[in-house]
Amino acid sequence: MEDVTARRTVVVTGASSGIGLAAAVDLAGRGDRVVLVGRDPARLRDAGDRVRDSCGEQPELFRADFAVLDDVRRLAERLRAAYDRIDVLANNAGAIVLQPVTTVDGFELTMQANHLAPFLLSNLLRDRIGRMVVTASGAHRSGVLHPGDLNATLRRYRPMRAYGTSKQANILFAAEAARRWPDVPAYSFHPGVVRTRFGNESPVVALGMRLLPFRSPERGAETLVWLANQDPARLTSGGYYHDRRPRRPLPKAADPALAARLWTASAQAVGIEE
């Protein structure tokens, strides 16, 4: 049971911009001690300054590149050394990769950055976490997850298929975490189509991000912040949410057997025991 009277520690990954930064600003304004995790040092510092300007307190900053699993392991060690308890872990870091890329760890970059890295981080911090929120997406509809081959999307690569597959994995991960870790409430959510830095490398995508009526990062972060603050008794652990309401993901993101197989494959991939 969470102690709501004490000041909470909230770790937000992907906090340099977009939904993560908006959530960090909101949570800090509510009195939480926010911890920002990001890849780019300059943008991470800028994000820390924005949080400080909003609440008057400088947040802790941790740099880590989720394209490198050793970076994730070092991040977990540093977080464990710094905090005896992480009341909320917001697994928000994510990317859309426009070209097929294999990481130094041997995995398709989207799957590693969006699923395997947060899976590893969560497992390494498991005994410190009070609750977990995972940024998923309605894009899971384009997912084609095959736990036996986490690199399947590298063949005939399509960015949205790879992204959708990683988001399908996010929903399944949160559901399976809730089953395996009954003392850690876990939720996934769809933030809506949010105007972020995604796809900035593509002129076509960048133009669409400017012209289409996408949500602001602040609007996209609302459900994350709500899930981080709502009484767990009012929520369904393992559930998928959108606009602060429970929603039913597509069957391929709600299959318990597939979720269990994904967990086993992910644990093997990142080198941890189940």
Side-chain angles (χ1 to χ4, degrees):
M1 191 71 176
E2 294 185 28
D3 181 4
V4 296
T5 64
R7 190 175 187 218
R8 303 186 310 170
T9 297
V10 181
V11 174
V12 183
T13 70
S16 297
S17 63
I19 296 168
L21 176 54
V25 168
D26 191 330
L27 290 163
R30 296 167 185 258
D32 290 329
R33 174 172 63 176
V34 296
V35 180
L36 276 56
V37 178
R39 179 178 60 85
D40 183 272
R43 291 200 294 119
L44 187 59
R45 286 193 299 270
D46 289 345
D49 291 344
R50 181 170 164 188
V51 172
R52 182 199 61 207
D53 292 345
S54 72
C55 71
E57 180 178 356
Q58 181 69 34
E60 291 292 326
L61 308 177
F62 289 81
R63 197 210 73 83
D65 184 353
F66 279 17
V68 182
L69 292 180
D70 277 345
D71 250 30
V72 178
R73 297 182 181 101
R74 285 188 288 267
L75 170 64
E77 290 174 0
R78 293 167 61 205
L79 290 171
R80 292 183 67 84
Y83 309 108
D84 291 332
R85 179 172 174 82
I86 296 170
D87 295 277
V88 181
L89 173 61
N91 280 315
N92 170 75
I96 291 177
V97 182
L98 301 180
Q99 301 293 331
V101 176
T102 302
T103 70
V104 295
D105 301 289
F107 300 106
E108 190 273 315
L109 177 55
T110 314
M111 178 58 73
Q112 177 165 324
N114 295 4
H115 168 63
L116 290 174
F119 174 88
L120 174 60
L121 181 64
S122 302
N123 274 271
L124 294 176
L125 297 176
R126 181 257 182 278
D127 62 324
R128 304 288 172 93
I129 302 171
R131 84 170 69 182
M132 183 170 69
V133 182
V134 181
T135 302
S137 173
H140 73 273
R141 66 177 63 89
S142 64
V144 288
L145 182 66
H146 301 291
D149 183 4
L150 295 176
N151 282 333
T153 55
L154 282 172
R155 295 187 291 277
R156 299 182 63 185
Y157 187 81
R158 297 175 184 172
M160 283 308 300
R161 183 175 63 178
Y163 179 72
T165 300
S166 73
K167 296 291 106 177
Q168 179 188 359
N170 288 158
I171 299 171
L172 292 167
F173 165 50
E176 184 67 5
R179 187 184 73 81
R180 290 176 180 247
W181 304 339
D183 57 327
V184 181
Y187 318 101
S188 63
F189 76 100
H190 171 44
V193 183
V194 179
R195 188 186 307 277
T196 70
R197 291 171 52 87
F198 273 10
N200 275 5
E201 300 86 352
S202 166
V204 174
V205 175
L207 177 62
M209 294 293 276
R210 287 195 298 271
L211 297 180
L212 293 176
F214 288 8
R215 290 183 170 188
S216 68
E218 289 74 20
R219 177 78 190 284
E222 286 179 355
T223 300
L224 191 164
V225 173
W226 180 76
L227 288 168
N229 283 291
Q230 186 65 253
D231 182 348
R234 295 176 176 271
L235 301 172
T236 300
S237 188
Y240 173 66
Y241 288 81
H242 176 49
D243 285 342
R244 296 183 293 183
R245 288 172 170 265
R247 301 298 171 97
R248 183 175 297 176
L250 293 180
K252 61 185 172 183
D255 181 345
L258 185 61
R261 288 171 53 211
L262 173 64
W263 189 287
T264 297
S266 300
Q268 182 177 4
V270 302
I272 61 172
E273 294 184 4
E274 288 194 71

